[in-house]
């Protein structure tokens, strides 16, 4: 029996030694992490890759090594791993000791003890080289796409300017609850569709019935495709409104999902782009007409062989040389034009009566398997009629252009303007002729702006940029201008041609989009993006002034039950009311207030001595009932607080928010309707404030 026991012990020690040797010599990165993220064990490959000694690693938290842009996703995976106990795959960027960025991927598993997670094991592999290769491919594709766009941009510029100038921002939004299959339309949707909000049925099926029969399949396929794949879509289609009046709608939609992958909500916008589509069709027709005018150009084109015999020609060429097609087939090039030479030169045409007319001929050799040929492009430079025709065409373009046009001499004296210029600026042609373009000067730009403009114009012959001008009535006009220097026939003097497009409407839309990107649409409060900017500024100021601030993460207790029972309208009204209460309470204190989404808010407070008093007041005002019709909506709040700068001076805004989030969850675990400080927790019932 003693021999058997000794053998078992010896085998166990051997197995342990083998595992330890495998752990140390494994090329993959092996790590064991406690449930709070602190590092418990790492192998040699881990230390080599990240540049830390083992004793250093054991004093660190794993999230301090993860790149800031990967923090949020890794936190979510880590929480899900601990809550579900199921293995998870992960891929994220780590920062080495030197600050270099490496990309790791692998699997993480939870070690359970009596049903409770006690640690997390992970095996990771360095995939930085593969990641950089993928990025290089993406950058190469982007570069190729940019080159293609640059080649085609000149063909699209006139269409894009017309579309942008005529676009009207008439946008409505809608929200489809995919769980209860309930559809919400904004008032603008009802207005666009000419429907009565009180009687029209807001359902997907009803909306689909309004669509043009030929477009219903397009709409249905786009929507359900987004539900299945999660890829947003952007489509334009036709809808009948009122008495069979047809409009064009552009719809953009994104679908949001539960953690289990089931669809949760579909949120989208619909815009009436009828005027834009109509304008685009008009532009295409105009371009077609212009293309036909080019085909009627007086240039003559002919194809000749190496001996000078005519093989093919256009009607303009026959008109120029004064011969019929049959006569021309019997002649050679040298019999029509004197001093024939390849290249580009001026020749005289030998007419039927022996009269010579001056022509400019450009000869382009063409080599093929069938022999040597040449293209002839002939221009009659003596025919005044052709010149007058070209001038009339230019005058029509000048007169009917949608952009404002101003022509000045080299001294800056205005020679002419078109009707579009007068429409944009309010100045009639007679008021502008003989004046200086300075009459449009708004005072908005410094002198250096105009000095740079003229320097670029003199160097390259053209300048393009945005200018704020002043109209005749004093209004400021944002314009996109292109100024070109054009030489006259004698090449001794220049004229300057300025094209002006009114972009006020486009700039207004840009400002509206910027506001939507930084502020919550429901409450008007800053969103997460704006909060990060303002938090960083307040954190810098707190460090400079040595004046601590408090970051408070607020989550409403019982909001989901109200939202489920009374509906989204009641929930939205409750959120707006509580946001207004917080704003009013903090109006006299330095602060930053933001809504992260759902029922979560963040308040950053200055004046550390007053912070806890204000937080107690916050608990009180948030617990006061809100009237909703004949009902009273009541919630409370759990608040997590992080003080900065403290021991967390080196943490960024995102990490501080995560700390405050953890403290908020501790407040909920302690019974809700109270606050908790990060690493210190206090019982604070709001009811004491009302006594």
């Amino acid at each position: 029996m003693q021999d058997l026991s000794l053998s078992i012990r010896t085998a166990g020690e051997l197995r342990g030694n083998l595992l330890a040797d495998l752990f140390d010599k494994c090329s993959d990165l092996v790590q064991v992490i406690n449930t709070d993220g602190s590092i418990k064990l790492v192998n040699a490959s881990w230390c080599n890759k990240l540049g830390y000694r083992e004793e250093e690693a054991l004093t660190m938290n794993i999230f301090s090594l993860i790149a800031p842009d990967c923090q949020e996703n890794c936190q979510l995976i880590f929480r899900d791993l601990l809550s579900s106990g199921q293995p998870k795959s992960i891929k994220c960027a780590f920062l080495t000791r030197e600050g270099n960025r490496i990309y790791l991927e692998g699997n993480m598993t939870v070690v359970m003890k009596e049903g409770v997670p006690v640690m997390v094991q992970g095996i990771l592999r360095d995939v930085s080289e593969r990641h950089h290769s993928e990025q290089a491919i993406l950058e190469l594709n982007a570069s190729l796409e940019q080159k293609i766009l640059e080649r085609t941009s000149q063909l699209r510029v006139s269409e894009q300017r017309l579309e942008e100038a005529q676009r009207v921002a008439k946008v409505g939004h809608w929200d489809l609850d995919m769980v209860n299959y309930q559809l919400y339309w904004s008032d603008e949707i009802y207005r666009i569709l000419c429907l009565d909000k009180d009687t029209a049925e807001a359902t997907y099926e009803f909306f689909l019935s309004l669509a043009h029969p030929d477009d219903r399949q397009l709409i249905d396929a786009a929507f359900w495709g987004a539900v299945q794949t999660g890829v947003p879509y952007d489509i334009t289609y036709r809808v009948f409104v009122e008495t069979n009046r047809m409009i064009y709608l552009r719809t953009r939609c994104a679908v949001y999902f539960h953690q289990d992958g089931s669809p949760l909500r579909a949120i989208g916008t619909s815009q009436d782009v009828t005027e834009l589509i109509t304008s685009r069709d008009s532009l295409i027709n105009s371009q077609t007409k212009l293309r036909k005018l080019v085909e009627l150009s007086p240039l003559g084109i002919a194809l000749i062989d190496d001996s000078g015999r005519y093989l093919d020609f256009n009607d303009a060429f026959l008109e120029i040389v004064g011969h019929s097609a049959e006569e021309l087939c019997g002649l050679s090039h040298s019999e029509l034009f004197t001093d024939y030479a390849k290249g580009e030169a001026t020749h005289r045409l030998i007419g039927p009566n022996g009269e010579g007319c001056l022509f400019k001929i450009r000869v382009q050799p063409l080599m093929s398997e069938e022999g040597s040929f040449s293209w002839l492009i002939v221009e009659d430079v003596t025919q005044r009629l052709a010149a007058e025709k070209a001038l009339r065409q230019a005058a029509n373009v000048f007169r009917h252009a949608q952009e404002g046009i101003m022509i000045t001499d080299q001294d800056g004296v205005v020679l002419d303007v078109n009707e579009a210029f007068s429409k944009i600026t309010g100045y009639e042609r007679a008021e502008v002729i003989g004046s200086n373009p300075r009459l449009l000067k708004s005072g908005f730009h410094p002198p250096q702006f105009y000095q740079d403009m003229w320097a670029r114009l003199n160097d390259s012959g053209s300048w393009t940029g945005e200018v704020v001008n002043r109209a005749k009535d004093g209004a400021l006009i944002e314009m996109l201008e292109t100024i070109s220097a054009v030489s006259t026939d004698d090449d001794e003097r220049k004229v300057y041609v300025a094209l002006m497009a009114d972009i006020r409407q486009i700039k207004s839309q840009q400002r509206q989009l910027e506001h939507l990107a930084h502020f919550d649409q429901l409450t008007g409060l800053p969103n997460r993006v704006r909060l990060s900017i303002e938090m960083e500024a307040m954190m810098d100021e707190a460090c400079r002034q040595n004046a601590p601030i408090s970051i408070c993460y607020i989550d409403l207790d019982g909001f989901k039950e109200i939202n489920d029972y009374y509906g989204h309208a009641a929930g939205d009204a409750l959120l707006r009311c509580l946001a207004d209460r917080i704003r009013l309470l903090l109006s006299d204190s330095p602060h930053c207030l933001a809504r992260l989404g759902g029922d979560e808010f963040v308040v950053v407070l200055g004046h550390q001595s007053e912070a806890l008093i204000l937080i107690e007041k916050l608990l009180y005002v948030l617990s006061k009932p809100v009237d909703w019709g004949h009902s009273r909506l009541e919630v409370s709040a759990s608040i997590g607080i992080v003080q900065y700068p403290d021991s967390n001076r080196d943490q960024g805004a995102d990490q501080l928010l995560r700390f405050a989030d953890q403290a908020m969850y501790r407040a909920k675990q302690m019974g809700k309707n109270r606050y908790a400080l990060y690493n210190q927790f206090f019982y604070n019932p709001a009811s004491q404030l009302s006594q």
Side-chain angles (χ1 to χ4, degrees):
M1 292 296 293
Q2 292 180 352
D3 293 340
L4 178 60
S5 176
L6 179 62
S7 298
I8 293 174
R9 186 168 61 253
T10 302
E13 292 175 354
L14 178 60
R15 186 164 48 252
N17 292 335
L18 289 174
L19 290 176
D21 187 60
L22 177 62
F23 176 81
D24 289 333
K25 295 182 179 180
C26 179
S27 61
D28 289 336
L29 285 69
V30 181
Q31 59 187 24
V32 180
I33 308 166
N34 292 318
T35 56
D36 61 354
S38 60
I39 298 174
K40 185 173 183 179
L41 184 64
V42 295
N43 69 345
S45 294
W46 191 99
C47 296
N48 293 335
K49 280 292 181 181
L50 295 175
Y52 292 97
R53 298 192 308 275
E54 182 178 0
E55 55 269 24
E56 289 179 310
L58 298 183
T59 65
M60 303 175 71
N61 189 291
I62 193 65
F63 292 105
S64 66
L65 300 174
I66 297 175
D69 56 311
C70 298
Q71 284 278 351
E72 183 174 358
N73 185 53
C74 290
Q75 288 277 5
L76 291 175
I77 293 175
F78 195 74
R79 290 178 188 171
D80 190 33
L81 181 66
L82 293 178
S83 62
S84 66
Q86 298 299 318
K88 297 290 180 182
S89 297
I90 187 170
K91 178 182 179 182
C92 64
F94 278 65
L95 299 179
T96 67
R97 185 189 189 98
E98 293 76 17
N100 297 325
R101 190 181 181 99
I102 65 173
Y103 292 87
L104 303 177
E105 73 173 13
N107 297 312
M108 303 189 70
T109 58
V110 178
V111 177
M112 309 292 286
K113 184 175 183 181
E114 296 180 358
V116 177
V118 294
M119 66 183 71
V120 176
Q121 300 173 344
I123 300 178
L124 305 176
R125 179 164 296 175
D126 185 358
V127 294
S128 301
E129 183 175 352
R130 187 185 71 192
H131 177 83
H132 293 318
S133 299
E134 292 172 351
Q135 290 298 114
I137 293 174
L138 291 176
E139 292 174 1
L140 177 61
N141 290 338
S143 174
L144 294 175
E145 291 176 359
Q146 181 62 29
K147 290 180 180 180
I148 294 173
L149 288 174
E150 290 174 356
R151 294 291 182 88
T152 59
S153 61
Q154 293 182 351
L155 299 177
R156 295 179 179 172
V157 65
S158 59
E159 179 180 358
Q160 290 174 345
R161 288 177 177 172
L162 181 59
E163 289 178 354
E164 291 173 358
Q166 295 181 346
R167 184 179 300 140
V168 178
K170 300 177 181 178
V171 181
H173 69 274
W174 50 270
D175 187 338
L176 178 58
D177 181 353
M178 298 294 292
V179 177
N180 301 310
Y181 207 65
Q182 293 180 346
L183 177 61
Y184 165 78
W185 284 345
S186 67
D187 291 342
E188 187 66 16
I189 293 289
Y190 286 99
R191 191 200 64 76
I192 291 173
L193 299 178
C194 301
L195 297 175
D196 187 344
K197 186 176 182 180
D198 296 329
T199 59
E201 181 183 10
T203 65
Y204 176 77
E205 291 74 13
F206 174 67
F207 174 78
L208 200 62
S209 69
L210 300 177
H212 192 287
D214 294 342
D215 294 344
R216 291 172 186 170
Q217 185 177 0
L218 167 69
I219 300 169
D220 213 35
F223 175 75
W224 291 111
V227 171
Q228 294 174 0
T229 65
V231 178
Y233 66 85
D234 183 343
I235 60 173
T236 301
Y237 51 90
R238 295 163 292 178
V239 173
F240 289 107
V241 299
E242 295 179 327
T243 55
N244 287 330
R245 180 171 65 89
M246 190 179 72
I247 65 172
Y248 287 85
L249 281 186
R250 180 182 182 182
T251 293
R252 301 175 182 180
C253 173
V255 180
Y256 298 87
F257 298 85
H258 284 291
Q259 291 184 351
D260 62 4
S262 62
L264 175 63
R265 299 172 64 195
I267 301 175
T269 61
S270 294
Q271 180 181 14
D272 183 353
V273 293
T274 305
E275 295 182 9
L276 180 64
I277 297 296
T278 303
S279 300
R280 186 187 65 184
D281 293 342
S282 299
L283 177 61
I284 293 174
N285 292 334
S286 299
Q287 291 176 332
T288 301
K289 293 178 182 178
L290 183 60
R291 197 173 296 114
K292 290 181 179 179
L293 290 176
V294 173
E295 292 172 355
L296 295 175
S297 169
L299 291 175
I301 302 174
L303 179 67
I304 62 174
D305 61 15
D306 196 41
S307 64
R309 290 182 303 149
Y310 289 96
L311 304 177
D312 198 3
F313 34 78
N314 64 356
D315 292 340
F317 187 84
L318 294 176
E319 183 179 350
I320 288 174
V321 300
H323 288 279
S324 66
E326 292 77 9
E327 293 172 337
L328 194 60
C329 289
L331 297 173
S332 68
H333 186 61
S334 59
E335 293 177 297
L336 283 177
F337 297 95
T338 62
D339 304 324
Y340 168 65
K342 293 185 178 181
E344 182 173 342
T346 301
H347 306 276
R348 290 190 178 277
L349 173 68
I350 303 174
N353 300 323
E355 298 177 356
C357 299
L358 193 63
F359 285 83
K360 182 176 287 186
I361 301 178
R362 183 166 66 252
V363 181
Q364 178 64 48
L366 175 65
M367 303 299 295
S368 72
E369 296 179 356
E370 299 177 357
S372 299
F373 305 92
S374 296
W375 284 109
L376 302 181
I377 302 176
V378 182
E379 180 183 4
D380 185 351
V381 295
T382 62
Q383 294 182 2
R384 184 180 301 273
L385 203 58
E388 291 176 351
K389 181 178 180 181
L391 289 175
R392 285 196 299 271
Q393 292 174 346
N396 285 333
V397 173
F398 179 83
R399 186 180 304 110
H400 298 297
Q402 297 298 313
E403 297 175 313
I405 302 177
M406 173 189 285
I407 303 175
T408 71
D409 63 15
Q410 63 183 16
D411 298 321
V413 178
V414 178
L415 302 177
D416 204 356
V417 296
N418 67 346
E419 294 178 5
F421 173 90
S422 299
K423 184 177 179 180
I424 294 172
T425 65
Y427 287 100
E428 296 297 332
R429 182 174 181 273
E431 297 176 281
V432 182
I433 301 300
S435 65
N436 190 282
R438 283 192 296 270
L439 87 164
L440 299 176
K441 194 172 182 180
S442 64
F444 183 85
H445 302 287
Q448 186 63 39
F449 175 84
Y450 297 100
Q451 293 172 10
D452 295 341
M453 174 194 296
W454 279 104
R456 179 67 179 273
L457 191 58
N458 291 331
D459 289 341
S460 63
S462 65
W463 177 88
T464 299
E466 295 182 6
V467 181
V468 178
N469 288 326
R470 191 175 298 278
K472 183 179 180 181
D473 61 1
L476 295 178
I477 312 174
E478 293 172 290
M479 291 183 171
L480 179 63
E481 288 191 15
T482 298
I483 305 174
S484 301
V486 181
S487 300
T488 57
D489 290 340
D490 55 10
D491 289 332
E492 295 180 358
R493 295 179 63 83
K494 292 181 178 179
V495 296
Y496 294 96
V497 179
L499 304 180
M500 307 174 179
D502 186 351
I503 60 172
R504 283 176 290 185
Q505 190 173 29
I506 298 171
K507 301 296 286 186
S508 175
Q509 292 175 357
Q510 291 176 348
R511 288 188 284 269
Q512 292 175 10
L513 291 175
E514 291 175 359
H515 184 272
L516 290 175
H518 289 84
F519 290 89
D520 175 46
Q521 296 186 45
L522 178 64
T523 63
L525 296 177
N527 60 14
R528 185 182 292 272
V529 176
R530 187 70 181 181
L531 171 65
S532 296
I533 297 172
E534 296 189 11
M535 268 190 67
E536 293 289 351
M538 292 184 72
M539 290 165 61
D540 291 342
E541 184 68 17
C543 291
R544 286 196 301 270
Q545 301 295 332
N546 195 23
I549 61 175
S550 296
I551 296 96
C552 307
Y553 199 109
I554 303 172
D555 185 88
L556 300 181
D557 307 321
F559 176 79
K560 183 178 183 300
E561 289 76 9
I562 288 177
N563 214 26
D564 292 342
Y565 186 82
Y566 293 97
H568 292 294
D572 290 348
L574 176 62
L575 291 174
R576 284 192 294 267
C577 179
L578 297 183
D580 291 338
R581 288 182 183 177
I582 300 174
R583 260 193 295 248
L584 181 61
L585 175 64
L586 303 178
S587 59
D588 296 330
S589 303
H591 72 281
C592 169
L593 171 61
R595 180 188 177 213
L596 299 186
D599 59 342
E600 295 179 331
F601 298 82
V602 170
V603 175
V604 185
L605 296 173
H607 289 178
Q608 188 68 18
S609 60
E610 302 176 3
L612 292 181
I613 297 175
L614 287 173
I615 292 167
E616 292 176 351
K617 292 181 179 180
L618 272 175
L619 289 171
Y620 173 67
V621 299
L622 292 175
S623 64
K624 292 177 62 178
V626 174
D627 292 332
W628 169 256
H630 299 294
S631 303
R632 291 168 66 82
L633 310 178
E634 293 186 73
V635 295
S636 62
S638 296
I639 303 177
I641 307 167
V642 172
Q643 296 175 341
Y644 179 90
D646 200 342
S647 59
N648 51 29
R649 178 182 291 268
D650 295 332
Q651 302 295 341
D654 289 341
Q655 186 63 43
L656 292 177
L657 284 177
R658 280 189 284 273
F659 289 163
D661 185 21
Q662 294 173 14
M664 180 273 292
Y665 275 107
R666 179 58 64 90
K668 283 188 177 293
Q669 293 172 354
M670 294 168 61
K672 305 180 181 178
N673 192 24
R674 63 195 66 215
Y675 64 81
L677 274 68
Y678 185 69
N679 287 337
Q680 300 178 27
F681 305 101
F682 298 87
Y683 176 72
N684 186 33
S687 59
Q688 295 178 2
L689 296 172
S690 62
Q691 297 178 355

